Amino acid sequence: MNITPIMKHLLAAATLLLSAANIQAQNTQVAPSSAQDEWKLVWSDEFNTDGPYNPEVWEPEIGFKRNHEDQWYQGENAWQENGCLVIEARREHRENPLAGKDGEQDWRTARKHIEYTSASLTTRRSFSFLYGRLEVRAKIPTASGAWPAIWLLGTQMPWPSNGEIDVMEYYRINGVPHILANAAWGSDEQYKAVWNSKRIPVTHFTDKDPQWAENFHIWRMDWTPEAIRIYLDDELLNDIPLSETVNGSIGGHTNPFTRPQYILLNLALGGDNGGTIDNTAMPMRYEIDYVRVYQRDDMGMPRDSIILSDPCILADPDTKLYYMTGTGGRLYISRDLNLWRGPYRVAETDPDSWMGRRPQIWAAELHKYNGKYYYFATFTNNDIKIDTVRGNVIPRRASHVLVADKPEGPYRPMHDKTYLPEKQPTLDGTFWVDTDGKPYMVYCGEWLQNWDGTIEKIELKPDLSGSVGEGQILFRASASPWSREVEDGKVRPNKVTDGPYLFRTGTGRLGMIWTSWIDDVYTQGVAYSDDGTLNGNWIQEPHPITPPNFGHGMLFRTLEGRWLMSVHSHKNVSGRYIRVPHLFEIDLSGDKLVVGKMIEGDYKP
């Protein structure tokens, strides 16, 4: 059935009410109704547009991946059609590009040919969450050899200590079709998991509905600090207490299900569990109508579990909430700076503008001004090339402003399609109202084009809907006395300017934090205007103001009136390079910004 977007949202509301009623009916004690009991949609993909899936959300796995499976994974075996994501397994025959490598000691390289292809899509780089309700409506293939799945993996530590949740697996056990609902975590032995697994013969469902295999069904996981509960069409399949899911010694006796997980959708074939592949059933289609994640107000991710570049926090006294955004066009919401709901998608760009259908979104900031909320961000359209400098092809990239009536958005474009010159790559725009009462954008001119990055200003229209006049350079990267790089054997200031953010000290002095590099270490410094305006000469402080590997900072005042700085740092987790937000105490009472201690653990007002 082709379900329209409106029908989908109506179904979502109805399903949510039925699910809530079902949960209450299964509990002997029902908590009093409160706002915290309400499940709120925080993330979804409805797959409503025919064509490619959204590459900003779903990342395809490539190659032979796991479990000695027969299929070669590739992105082209998945697309959107008639309101669904389609994952198609095909019978193909071609050379294995990995064949013969590693002396054919590995099963992936021992195979001379690819005989089957399919797709596995993940949100590893775009979305992960901690606690909540995952709901997926899908129709699965049930032929012999099919192994469709809906599952999650942790973002930290190697498998299985990172944790695995199988909301749905289907395959044949001793020739008998089964639905499985599992969780796995680490033991004292490397790569050996501890499993809590439930295997339900498909006849349990087909006895009640002979057409079960031809229909769509709703798989659901309710994940709380107490348990993981997995449902199929509101029937509880497995109830896994988190008190039992503690890793062994290799995982440091931690609990992987108190850390975020990301989503995987895949159709495997054969391998260790899929069984003999029925070639007459090819091609096999796995159809996913939607993927939705809900949370309650008492759920969310601890700050130290969020992966986010360029974190910017707005404390809004009207809603008494904190709103954090950054790179990726997502928004997190918190009551206390410790537990964050989301991420929500909040940036809605114009596909007919220079940004294209799916621009990259970097370094977003939120600013409240004259009763509205503004979203300053860098947008990149890699399909448009504007220049080539020293062999570097430069795509269309520019700072731009979106607007919303509420801090949670949605943020949409205003009148002007262009704020900054079309042929100049710009980034990391921030907002400032100067002593002349006029609003300005302060931004970076990218070093890849000018080879000595700039920080510039441009006047904005009174409603911020566009720019006025031309940009003016405030200073260049080479003005820094603290950054450095080695070029042609010589030590010189680094070329990069990044992340400007403006503030005034208690004495009224105008300052700007900004970021560059010391060799390969991300570092933040500060400059001060000699006349208290954007036009003044900018005097650079001689030393960085944050510890090594911390940068792209923004300042905000908490709801209690305390100044803090949000920054990100880099780290390597199981071979994956990630950026993590942090908070530092800030003192602005004197003539200079003074960075205090980093807030570790929970923030306490």
Side-chain angles (χ1 to χ4, degrees), residues 87-102:
I87 297 178
E88 186 174 84
R90 304 168 186 156
R91 190 177 185 188
E92 299 189 32
H93 179 82
R94 65 175 190 264
E95 298 294 323
N96 176 9
L98 304 178
K101 296 182 180 179
D102 300 326

Side-chain angles (χ1 to χ4, degrees), residues 62-64 70-74 76 92-102 104 106-117:
I62 305 296
F64 296 120
D70 288 77
Q71 80 292 331
W72 173 276
Y73 282 134
Q74 55 189 27
E76 51 263 47
E92 299 189 32
H93 179 82
R94 65 175 190 264
E95 298 294 323
N96 176 9
L98 304 178
K101 296 182 180 179
D102 300 326
E104 299 188 0
D106 185 274
W107 65 275
R108 300 169 183 84
T109 60
R111 295 177 175 180
K112 303 296 183 184
H113 297 96
I114 296 169
E115 302 292 350
Y116 299 93
T117 61

Side-chain angles (χ1 to χ4, degrees), residues 34 42 46 133 137 180 225 344 347 379 487 510 592 595:
S34 71
V42 299
E46 305 292 328
R133 169 175 292 176
R137 185 175 185 266
L180 295 92
Y344 304 87
F379 299 89
E487 186 177 41
L510 178 62
K592 290 187 176 182
V595 179

Side-chain angles (χ1 to χ4, degrees), residues 2 10 141 153 161 175 178 222 345 350 381 462-463 541 545 586:
N2 183 13
L10 290 172
L153 285 174
S161 296
H178 280 71
D222 287 353
R345 295 185 207 172
D350 179 1
N381 184 345
D463 64 354
E541 289 289 283
I545 60 169
I586 293 296

Side-chain angles (χ1 to χ4, degrees), residues 178-234:
H178 280 71
I179 293 290
L180 295 92
N182 319 312
W185 55 96
S187 67
D188 294 329
E189 186 176 340
Q190 193 172 27
Y191 306 127
K192 184 176 181 180
V194 179
W195 288 91
N196 182 321
S197 181
K198 289 295 176 66
R199 305 175 176 186
I200 303 98
V202 172
T203 53
H204 173 78
F205 307 103
T206 57
D207 285 348
K208 292 179 280 188
D209 178 9
Q211 303 302 313
W212 186 93
E214 284 73 49
N215 296 328
F216 281 84
H217 302 279
I218 295 176
W219 279 271
R220 190 179 92 232
M221 173 193 68
D222 287 353
W223 177 16
T224 69
E226 292 73 43
I228 297 166
R229 297 182 176 92
I230 300 172
Y231 299 81
L232 171 51
D233 292 333
D234 286 334

